[in-house]
Amino acid sequence: MMNEFEMLDMGLLYYFLGLEVHQSEDEIFLSQRKYARDLLIKFGLLNCKPAATLMNIGEKLQLNDGAEMDNARSFRSLVGGLIYLTHTRSDITFSVSVISRLCGFTDSDYAGSLDDRQSILAHVLTLGLGVVTWSSKKQATTTSSTSEIEYIASTLAACQAIWLRKMLAELQNKQRKCNRYIL
């Protein structure tokens, strides 16, 4: 590759994007120990006591539970960091998934393409703070009303959400409840 591209051989990989890499002849070990420690330091949690269980499994969270959030931006940043940490710490996946629910958004533009007057459909599905899947495309069939294209867009987004739920269920991350305004 060095003959084709301008590059340097910097030796074995030790640290990349928060992943520590330990290599030997017969194995590669990935860790996020430094990343986890930096996350604890960033949010002032380094000296907290460890717990045997991450959270109460029967805990039911509410959007408006009467408690006011001190810093929503800091909370979202912490959740994003925890989501990234689940790459090597699968034991925290359930707890992180509880605080970062799956949401979906859909929209359509009736006869939005100026070239052929086809409608344009779009949807975005998120898990926590990250986009998991999205689509934006021209509708293959002609529709006769904005209501019809909205139904088609919603149906396609719902099919994608169902597929994603099944995929998450296979990974032991089943969604239990759905907000009626969100797919």
Side-chain angles (χ1 to χ4, degrees):
M1 285 183 59
M2 291 179 141
N3 294 335
E4 290 293 319
F5 302 100
E6 187 176 324
M7 60 184 351
L8 297 173
D9 183 0
M10 299 175 71
L12 292 176
L13 179 65
Y14 292 103
Y15 192 80
F16 183 71
L17 295 176
L19 290 169
E20 295 172 66
V21 181
H22 303 281
Q23 301 178 45
S24 68
E25 284 188 26
D26 53 338
E27 67 182 3
I28 297 174
F29 179 75
L30 299 177
S31 169
Q32 287 183 299
R33 182 183 173 101
K34 181 182 179 329
Y35 179 81
R37 182 176 171 79
D38 291 345
L39 200 61
L40 290 171
I41 291 169
K42 178 180 178 181
F43 293 99
L45 301 170
L46 186 61
N47 295 322
C48 289
K49 293 181 182 178
T53 57
L54 298 173
M55 67 175 282
N56 180 0
I57 300 298
E59 187 75 27
K60 302 291 184 195
L61 301 179
Q62 287 181 289
L63 185 60
N64 297 316
D65 63 357
E68 198 166 316
M69 187 175 288
D70 291 335
N71 188 341
R73 173 177 241 145
S74 178
F75 176 76
R76 288 191 302 267
S77 179
L78 176 60
V79 171
L82 290 172
I83 289 171
Y84 190 68
L85 190 58
T86 61
H87 291 304
T88 57
R89 293 290 311 272
S90 60
D91 58 322
I92 67 170
T93 302
F94 175 76
S95 300
V96 172
S97 72
V98 168
I99 59 173
S100 59
R101 300 290 183 176
L102 171 63
C103 297
F105 307 92
T106 183
D107 195 13
S108 64
D109 184 11
Y110 178 68
S113 175
L114 297 177
D115 296 326
D116 56 9
R117 305 300 294 162
Q118 291 292 85
S119 299
I120 299 170
L121 310 170
H123 71 263
V124 175
L125 296 173
T126 64
L127 187 58
L129 299 176
V131 172
V132 178
T133 180
W134 67 276
S135 174
S136 177
K137 65 179 184 176
K138 279 200 284 187
Q139 177 61 26
T141 59
T142 304
T143 54
S144 58
S145 69
T146 57
S147 297
E148 186 178 358
I149 196 63
E150 289 290 339
Y151 282 123
I152 292 171
S154 297
T155 301
L156 290 174
C159 289
Q160 187 71 20
I162 290 168
W163 172 83
L164 190 57
R165 282 183 186 165
K166 288 180 180 179
M167 182 68 81
L168 290 171
E170 285 184 30
L171 299 171
Q172 276 73 46
N173 187 348
K174 190 171 183 178
Q175 184 180 13
R176 299 185 193 284
K177 188 176 175 186
C178 183
N179 186 323
R180 65 186 172 124
Y181 299 110
I182 299 172
L183 292 177

